[in-house]
Amino acid sequence: MVTGASRGIGRAIARKLASAGADVAAIYYLSHAAAESLSAEVRALGRRSIAIQANVASPESIGEAFETFRRDFDRLDILVSNAASGVLRPAMELSLKHWRWCLETNALALNLLAQAAAPLLGRDSRIIAISRLGARRAMPGYAFVGASKAALEALVRSLAQELGPRGIRVNAVSAGVVDTDALQAFPNREEILSEFERRAPMAARLAPEDVADAVYLLALPEAGMVTGHTLVVDGGYSVSG
Amino acid sequence: MSEKAERMSEDHVVTKDEVSAVYPEVAKAIAEALGRDADDIELESRLVGDLNAESIDFLDIVFRLERAFRIKIPRGEIVQDARGDLPEEEFAVKGCLTEVGLARLREYLDEIPLENFRHPMRVSEVPLLFTVETFAKLVVRARRQGAAEKEGQDHGFPPR
């Protein structure tokens, strides 16, 4: 199950896992056509796939999504909490409504998903959350999104501790600037991309597939003792002075 | 430009009765999304100007309407629908509505008083115009589209 699967990083993750042999439940919010086309792509690979509409910030909506999921699938091996949303403004202009929107969509959702998924998760199943460098670094306009991603990473550690005894691993992938539709929301999109490319030692732009590959690595059985970890995928940007 | 391109399709006309039929559920969805009492909501209320809705609220409202009415509202549907068969470059240039584009929009959003349309007007400013009735009409059109697709599928035609 991949949330926010219709576009960008979520879509790349769904494709990667499907190409590695996974069936895919694609959770999406409003992008019906994109979600359906992804599911069609996955089915063309010979895997099963359904698209399910849900608001990941709503317990009721998550409950409905899992009811739908259970009609087609009897277990869940990999849960990827990727859906994200935010309000990009200076902290001094942000309100309680914005806080709730960011924190509920970007952090609470992981907990709601884990709770709903728990009965379907067996030993060796994995939960992987998608975070951002903004969880640890200040970026203009990113205050509440950054705070929500910091909360997400903290939640990953707690869930790893709680679910470890059941053989469930919980990790995060923290991505640098990735060139997706979501970046269109930033007025200085091109400047952000070029600055990232200039400063990252690997000197390349990150593609959604780079993040998907890291999710795949964490999902491998060989990562069987990796849990509570946040794997940074940024071409070395964040360690470079 | 053909006369066809200057006029909207009659398929887009929504009657007052159709609006009234969906209004209570639309008002409920909007009130819940905005955390307001249902009494605060009126058919003529402007989402941004009167109800202080923001872009994230529009997302929430569309999601609630889609679930409540079991419809699909494609992203940017209102502007796309208002443009209809008009070529994109005749509807807006560099993000600004042309004279023809503005006329199309006025005709499509006929629930909105003419004085609320700015000139020039950017496409990104169009949501500032939306009223509760705009969303009620959106629901009516989406239900029609859904019914047409279902009928097409029932008769073996692919959806539009």
Side-chain angles (χ1 to χ4, degrees):
Chain A
M1 176 181 286
V2 182
T3 70
S6 62
R7 300 184 296 154
I9 291 171
R11 192 179 184 97
I13 293 168
R15 281 173 167 159
K16 178 72 186 181
L17 296 178
S19 67
D23 296 330
V24 175
I27 309 293
Y28 71 98
Y29 186 41
L30 296 174
S31 303
H32 305 277
E36 291 297 346
S37 82
L38 169 71
S39 277
E41 260 185 64
V42 171
R43 287 193 292 270
L45 292 171
R47 311 307 317 173
R48 290 190 298 155
S49 182
I50 51 168
I52 305 173
Q53 185 179 30
N55 172 5
V56 294
S58 156
E60 295 77 22
S61 185
I62 291 282
E64 287 172 16
F66 270 85
E67 271 178 38
T68 307
F69 176 83
R70 280 168 180 266
R71 279 185 224 134
D72 285 85
F73 300 100
D74 56 7
R75 70 170 211 275
L76 181 55
D77 301 312
I78 306 169
L79 167 62
V80 181
S81 179
N82 161 73
S85 184
V87 181
L88 301 171
R89 287 187 206 168
M92 299 304 284
E93 295 173 16
L94 290 166
S95 68
L96 176 62
K97 176 160 75 174
H98 302 142
W99 176 259
R100 287 180 175 155
W101 181 270
C102 294
L103 269 287
E104 289 174 6
T105 308
N106 301 342
L108 174 68
L110 173 65
N111 214 54
L112 297 177
L113 287 160
Q115 288 169 343
L120 297 165
L121 295 169
R123 284 202 80 79
D124 301 323
S125 54
R126 316 64 139 172
I127 298 175
I128 300 164
I130 304 304
S131 188
R132 290 292 190 168
L133 291 187
R136 302 181 200 185
R137 302 172 68 91
M139 297 179 189
Y142 209 68
F144 281 5
V145 182
S148 69
K149 293 297 192 181
L152 177 72
E153 291 181 15
L155 191 52
V156 162
R157 290 186 285 273
S158 292
L159 286 171
Q161 187 179 51
E162 280 187 41
L163 298 175
R166 290 183 47 190
I168 300 166
R169 294 191 288 113
V170 187
N171 290 292
V173 170
S174 177
V177 177
V178 183
D179 193 3
T180 66
D181 286 352
L183 209 58
Q184 305 282 1
F186 291 78
N188 54 340
R189 173 179 176 277
E190 193 48 44
E191 188 188 326
I192 292 172
L193 282 167
S194 341
E195 176 63 10
F196 185 86
E197 189 175 354
R198 189 184 67 76
R199 276 198 47 194
M202 299 295 286
R205 291 192 177 186
L206 289 178
E209 289 72 22
D210 296 316
V211 185
D213 287 347
V215 169
Y216 171 72
L217 286 177
L218 287 173
L220 287 172
E222 286 84 346
M225 290 307 285
V226 178
T227 193
H229 182 70
T230 295
L231 177 59
V232 175
V233 180
D234 69 349
Y237 176 92
S238 59
V239 296
S240 185
Chain B
M1 186 192 320
S2 71
E3 190 170 329
K4 188 183 167 198
E6 289 170 4
R7 302 286 307 169
M8 268 190 346
S9 159
E10 287 188 6
D11 294 348
H12 287 114
V13 176
V14 176
T15 67
K16 292 289 176 195
D17 285 348
E18 287 176 302
V19 167
S20 300
V22 299
Y23 173 72
E25 197 65 36
V26 171
K28 182 171 169 247
I30 291 174
E32 285 175 357
L34 298 176
R36 286 176 168 271
D37 290 336
D39 294 347
D40 294 344
I41 313 293
E42 292 177 355
L43 192 61
E44 303 78 21
S45 304
R46 290 171 302 160
L47 270 289
V48 176
D50 298 325
L51 301 174
N52 297 323
E54 302 178 43
S55 56
I56 53 175
D57 297 315
F58 282 103
L59 299 175
D60 195 9
I61 290 167
V62 169
F63 178 80
R64 287 171 189 272
L65 293 176
E66 289 189 334
R67 302 302 293 175
F69 290 96
R70 299 191 175 279
I71 52 174
K72 292 177 182 174
I73 301 172
R75 198 171 283 252
E77 177 74 350
I78 290 176
V79 169
Q80 285 293 329
D81 231 15
R83 181 165 72 82
D85 54 6
L86 199 63
E88 206 163 337
E89 61 278 13
E90 288 182 33
F91 184 75
V93 175
K94 291 183 179 169
C96 246
L97 291 165
T98 61
E99 289 284 347
V100 181
L102 193 59
R104 264 293 176 99
L105 194 70
R106 283 186 183 131
E107 189 182 4
Y108 187 81
L109 299 174
D110 63 357
E111 71 279 11
I112 292 166
L114 286 178
E115 61 268 24
N116 290 7
F117 290 84
R118 293 182 201 168
H119 184 55
M121 183 167 200
R122 301 194 63 77
V123 175
S124 59
E125 294 172 328
V126 173
L128 298 174
L129 296 167
F130 297 166
T131 65
V132 173
E133 186 170 359
T134 307
F135 281 88
K137 288 167 65 181
L138 190 63
V139 166
V140 170
R141 289 177 176 130
R143 289 176 99 183
R144 281 186 198 158
Q145 174 74 16
E149 284 179 9
K150 185 170 185 310
E151 194 176 331
Q153 283 165 357
D154 289 348
H155 290 84
F157 301 116
R160 276 196 286 167

